[in-house]
Amino acid sequence: MRILVIEDEEKVARFIQRGLEEEQYIVDVAHDGKTGLDMACSDDYDVIILDIMLPGKSGFDVLQELRAMDITTPIIILTARGSTEDRVRGLDLGADDYLPKPFHLEELAARVRSILRRSSTQKSTKITVGDLVLDTAAHLVWRGNKEIELTAKEYALLEFLMRNKHRIVSRTMIMQHVWKDPLSPMSNIIEVYIKRLRSKIEFDGKRFIHNVRGIGYRIKEPNGDE
Ligand code: CA
């Protein structure tokens, strides 16, 4: 599950990001409305957490433009406490929920879960590649009937590969989306995690994860056309 946080106050953004990452969500952050809007348009997020008071383009502008482009990603707006006007305006513009600031992380996480439950009844949360199944809502992975136990990072890497199944994902993309770090040329962390994933998923020798030399990786059904 991928969440976009659009919040200009770095401390608040970091607090939300850390909290949600502990719940095993993949979290991207934008610190202004324009960047947030671009990211929301170009990427596939499951929930957007949107602050209203943003420099330049306000949260209301972002909300309005996203809905005008038929982007229906669920949005939780962060409003000033006591501002009924902001809440009403946000909901009228197409927000799905609101949370007054300051808030407890537990409440934000509960609202995210609630929104994901509601939207998961509309779309499947399962991604399949052959008999490999990943449930993005439950954070569970199976090969056939066998449940595969993964660490949080292994899971995040597999989810990223499976969301892009059949497509080549570069090492740079993996580093940005899974580790949120620029790629250090000397680092072999991706190779290490790919190897661990393979040992857990490809236990019967069936190959899912393919190296694309010099570029990155691709996940696809075993025994497909090479
Ligand atoms: Ca703000």
Side-chain angles (χ1 to χ4, degrees), residues 7-9 51 53 101:
E7 163 66 78
D8 58 315
E9 283 167 76
D51 186 32
M53 300 289 285
K101 281 176 158 182

Side-chain angles (χ1 to χ4, degrees), residues 38-55:
D38 288 346
M39 288 169 78
C41 294
S42 61
D43 243 316
D44 215 5
Y45 291 100
D46 299 288
V47 179
I48 297 170
I49 295 167
L50 174 63
D51 186 32
I52 292 301
M53 300 289 285
L54 293 169

